[in-house]
Amino acid sequence: MNQIIAPYITSWTAEQEVPSRVVERPGIGVGYANEVLGDRDARGVLWLRPGVRRGVGKPEFGKVHPLRQRRAMRNLLCQVCAGPADQNDDGVLWLLRDYRNDWPGWPDGMGCTEPPVCVPCVAVSLRLCPALKRGAAAIRAGRFEVAGVRGALYRRGTFGPVAVGDVNVAYDDPDIRWMVASALVRELRGCTLVSLAELAAQHDAVPGR
């Protein structure tokens, strides 16, 4: 674990966004003026075009790389090491900012953009992530359907589409045609809070740790 310089999903300074002009495609929504096949996911949603040069330059902590986030979320990989996320009979493990007072049963029903984690990377995340130092909660989700995307929502403008804000949009929402996605969203259901001390003990119990 000492070899991890930055989480897998972290962007690096050399991974600048590829300049792209967003245009309206009648009957479709938004697209790129020079669009290619790989610009859309399997459901036809347009995605941001980041550079891919992981490990080059400096890590930009707090800035998530869209393609690596999408891969980790789609394949349930740990957001830190890119290995398989931890899973048991209670579900897949997530490590989130602790907002359990937001609503009864939190985070059940939440649209989540943070990929899951493995047990060994929980301690790394708690030690290195400034956001988690302000309060963290470990969650196991029994159900975690891919629900939609987060990204820039566009509307028609005088001289072409105009971005109006960053939002989460479900795949069955008509607005999805007007999105430039930057993150995949899973909806967490059947959630159970897990003790961080219990996870630490589980990690320490592994032979060779």
Side-chain angles (χ1 to χ4, degrees):
M1 298 305 299
N2 293 333
Q3 295 179 349
I4 294 177
I5 300 172
Y8 171 70
I9 63 170
T10 298
S11 287
W12 291 69
T13 51
E15 297 182 307
Q16 299 302 311
E17 184 180 338
V18 178
S20 306
R21 185 165 64 92
V22 177
V23 298
E24 181 178 355
R25 299 205 177 280
I28 296 176
V30 291
Y32 291 130
N34 60 340
E35 192 171 318
V36 297
L37 187 62
D39 287 328
R40 295 183 183 269
D41 64 20
R43 302 201 195 189
V45 176
L46 191 67
W47 276 76
L48 203 62
R49 288 171 157 178
V52 182
R53 301 186 70 193
R54 183 179 175 222
V56 180
K58 296 180 179 179
E60 296 189 284
F61 296 105
K63 183 178 180 182
V64 174
H65 191 274
L67 297 186
R68 290 197 291 275
Q69 185 274 354
R70 179 175 153 196
R71 177 176 180 265
M73 191 67 104
R74 187 177 63 234
N75 297 318
L76 295 174
L77 303 179
C78 174
Q79 63 170 287
V80 180
C81 70
D86 191 77
Q87 186 167 5
N88 64 18
D89 291 343
D90 291 326
V92 173
L93 181 65
W94 262 266
L95 186 63
L96 308 172
R97 282 287 310 276
D98 191 346
Y99 291 118
R100 73 185 74 189
N101 293 325
D102 278 10
W103 70 83
W106 177 93
D108 216 83
M110 183 178 79
C112 182
T113 59
E114 292 89 354
V117 293
C118 66
V119 171
C121 285
V122 169
V124 176
S125 301
L126 292 174
R127 187 172 71 250
L128 298 180
C129 178
L132 293 177
K133 287 180 179 179
R134 296 195 290 271
I139 306 293
R140 287 199 183 273
R143 301 187 303 281
F144 33 83
E145 302 257 343
V146 173
V149 298
R150 181 171 182 80
L153 177 64
Y154 281 75
R155 295 295 187 208
R156 285 192 180 96
T158 304
F159 302 105
V162 177
V164 295
D166 287 336
V167 295
N168 290 0
V169 174
Y171 270 115
D172 59 3
D173 188 322
D175 276 343
I176 199 82
R177 302 181 303 114
W178 291 86
M179 289 287 292
V180 177
S182 57
L184 198 62
V185 175
R186 283 187 181 270
E187 185 176 315
L188 305 185
R189 293 283 185 184
C191 297
T192 305
L193 284 164
V194 182
S195 163
L196 293 173
E198 178 184 317
L199 290 174
Q202 180 182 337
H203 177 242
D204 292 342
V206 176
R209 296 292 181 189

